[in-house]
Amino acid sequence: MIYEFIEMAENDIAAIAHRFKFLIKSDVKNFYPSIYTHSISWALHGKAYIRKAGNRQNYSIFGNRVDKLFQYSNDGCTNGLPIGPAISDIAAEIVMSAVDRQLSDSLPEGAVVMRFKDDYRILVRTEADGRSIVKDLQAALKDYRLELNDEKTQFHSLPNGIFRDWVSQYHAVNRVPKAYYPFRRFKETYLAVVAIDRANSGCGVIDRFLADIITKKYRLRVKLDNRTLPKVLSLLLMLGSLRTKAYPKVLATIEAILQSTFGKQHSVEIAKHLADHLSQLSEREAENRYLIAWICYFLRANNLDSHITAKYKYKDPIVNATYTSSFALFKHCKDFKVFLGVKKAAKRTSLLKHLDVFKPQ
């Protein structure tokens, strides 16, 4: 959804940009962890009303009940919403809609503001108008205990800034994804992707590259042989280290190799490569919990767990559940099941299909 919004916003901005001189991009600093749960009730009912004597603890007021439920989901803390659940998106949108209404009252004539979640695009005719809007946006956010990300607030003289630089850079090095990539082409494209990622921190070029080396039928486009297999595995795993969010897709790509005729013939080599990587990650469990959980899932889901020669004792309950395929918490809850064994889950779908957000299963 985020990528689709950004592309849609770029196209919409391009269509009307001739009427403006400047484009401003910004977002809210540390968005979900910073949302003050009381601000949900403020947005729904008005801060002045909620702060009246007797109203702050009045749980017949809907917003106060929502506020308290979010606190219960976060160990009683009043700061932060869980990242991921759709209900957090709804609560965040309630707060940001209130910010929008407040900002709209002060917009100069002719200015255009677009927002998706916490991501802003602002079109203005003068730099002074842009700075005025940013100041008013900061004030509106402050009323709800939020803060604009100054480091990411950028003023662009149009047409600069309409399109993402990294998209053009990537298109130049991988204009038309091939039916397959010989190792040399894969290597050169890979190195260009790493350079683009380092020059454009947090961009989606790694995700785009991983998508381009997989066909619509979830087969790898990279041509492999006995000599290139270990190199490709190593390079893919390093991509996961560069961009943690891409790590599941890296493993899904390796799973596509494993499920090919060539991959089945080299399953032991692939398993050893990943088991060695797991050993390195497990030396620092606290820092690598996310990666460890995914690699444990991969090995067990593909019946490669026998290649894990070391015995690990993970402290994190989620990591340990994935490693052992058994979840010890909530066993007394008979009304619902919160955990399905790894191999049962793996039978339902492959990693690539599961992670293909544009083709929900």
Side-chain angles (χ1 to χ4, degrees):
M1 288 175 64
I2 292 171
Y3 289 139
E4 284 184 333
F5 162 75
I6 292 173
E7 186 174 353
M8 179 183 69
E10 287 176 343
N11 292 331
D12 289 347
I13 288 170
I16 62 173
H18 64 281
R19 305 204 305 257
F20 302 92
K21 294 292 185 184
F22 296 95
L23 168 65
I24 305 156
K25 297 179 180 179
S26 193
D27 63 20
V28 178
K29 187 175 183 179
N30 204 24
F31 184 43
Y32 284 93
S34 295
I35 292 179
Y36 189 48
T37 61
H38 294 342
S39 69
I40 302 169
S41 193
W42 299 347
L44 286 167
H45 308 287
K47 187 189 288 189
Y49 174 76
I50 293 299
R51 285 187 162 182
K52 281 183 180 179
N55 281 353
R56 292 190 185 194
Q57 303 298 322
N58 182 353
Y59 294 107
S60 66
I61 299 173
F62 173 71
N64 287 349
R65 296 202 301 276
V66 175
D67 171 10
K68 184 58 71 174
L69 286 169
F70 272 106
Q71 290 177 45
Y72 286 151
S73 75
N74 194 24
D75 293 330
C77 296
T78 55
N79 267 88
L81 301 184
I83 298 174
I87 191 66
S88 294
D89 292 336
I90 295 171
E93 190 61 27
I94 288 170
V95 174
M96 293 306 295
S97 293
V99 172
D100 290 346
R101 292 195 301 273
Q102 186 169 327
L103 177 65
S104 295
D105 291 338
S106 62
L107 285 179
E109 186 177 352
V112 172
V113 180
M114 289 169 274
R115 177 183 64 79
F116 180 74
K117 296 185 184 254
D118 68 321
D119 196 3
Y120 283 93
R121 300 287 187 275
I122 304 168
L123 287 166
V124 289
R125 294 188 177 117
T126 69
E127 187 173 351
D129 281 349
R131 298 203 178 279
S132 176
I133 291 173
V134 168
K135 186 176 180 181
D136 290 340
L137 178 56
Q138 289 171 328
L141 288 167
K142 187 176 181 181
D143 281 348
Y144 291 88
R145 301 280 186 94
L146 293 169
E147 185 179 349
L148 201 63
N149 193 334
D150 291 335
E151 292 180 3
K152 290 188 177 180
T153 301
Q154 302 171 334
F155 279 71
H156 298 276
S157 296
L158 290 168
N160 294 339
I162 296 179
F163 299 105
R164 292 159 290 173
D165 291 338
W166 73 263
V167 175
S168 299
Q169 293 165 10
Y170 177 71
H171 184 67
V173 298
N174 199 29
R175 185 179 300 275
V176 182
K178 299 295 184 182
Y180 70 88
Y181 290 73
F183 179 74
R184 184 174 180 180
R185 177 179 165 83
F186 171 80
K187 180 193 72 173
E188 294 304 323
T189 308
Y190 175 97
L191 292 173
V193 165
V194 170
I196 293 168
D197 180 72
R198 285 178 171 159
N200 301 270
S201 179
C203 74
V205 67
I206 290 176
D207 306 271
R208 174 68 179 273
F209 174 64
L210 289 170
D212 283 346
I213 60 173
I214 295 292
T215 70
K216 291 182 178 179
K217 293 184 178 180
Y218 305 113
R219 294 173 184 168
L220 187 70
R221 295 183 189 271
V222 183
K223 198 170 185 179
L224 297 172
D225 56 35
N226 294 342
R227 193 164 51 88
T228 58
L229 175 62
K231 299 175 189 176
V232 170
L233 291 175
S234 182
L235 291 172
L236 286 173
L237 288 171
M238 282 191 285
L239 277 188
S241 300
L242 281 176
R243 180 169 170 79
T244 302
K245 289 180 180 179
Y247 195 75
K249 192 65 177 284
V250 166
L251 290 179
T253 305
I254 295 173
E255 187 178 74
I257 298 173
L258 186 64
Q259 292 175 352
S260 68
T261 302
F262 175 82
K264 288 174 183 175
Q265 295 170 357
H266 294 79
S267 59
V268 173
E269 184 179 350
I270 293 171
K272 186 179 183 305
H273 214 97
L274 291 168
D276 289 345
H277 191 49
L278 176 63
S279 177
Q280 293 175 356
L281 294 172
S282 298
E283 292 175 4
R284 294 176 175 270
E285 180 193 344
E287 297 173 17
N288 298 313
R289 289 176 298 176
Y290 180 76
L291 306 183
I292 293 170
W294 273 103
I295 204 168
C296 285
Y297 176 89
F298 175 92
L299 290 168
R300 187 173 285 277
N302 289 284
N303 298 310
L304 299 175
D305 41 318
S306 61
H307 295 277
I308 306 176
T309 54
K311 299 296 181 184
Y312 301 107
K313 292 183 179 179
Y314 296 117
K315 296 179 181 179
D316 186 280
I318 301 299
V319 174
N320 192 60
T322 313
Y323 173 60
T324 62
S325 198
S326 176
F327 195 44
L329 300 179
F330 307 120
K331 281 193 173 180
H332 63 284
C333 301
K334 305 296 183 183
D335 295 337
F336 56 88
K337 190 172 184 178
V338 297
F339 185 83
L340 183 69
V342 171
K343 291 184 180 180
K344 287 183 180 179
K347 285 181 180 179
R348 294 182 172 183
T349 185
S350 69
L351 277 172
L352 278 174
K353 288 182 181 178
H354 176 68
L355 295 170
D356 191 348
V357 296
F358 298 108
K359 281 182 169 180
Q361 305 301 310

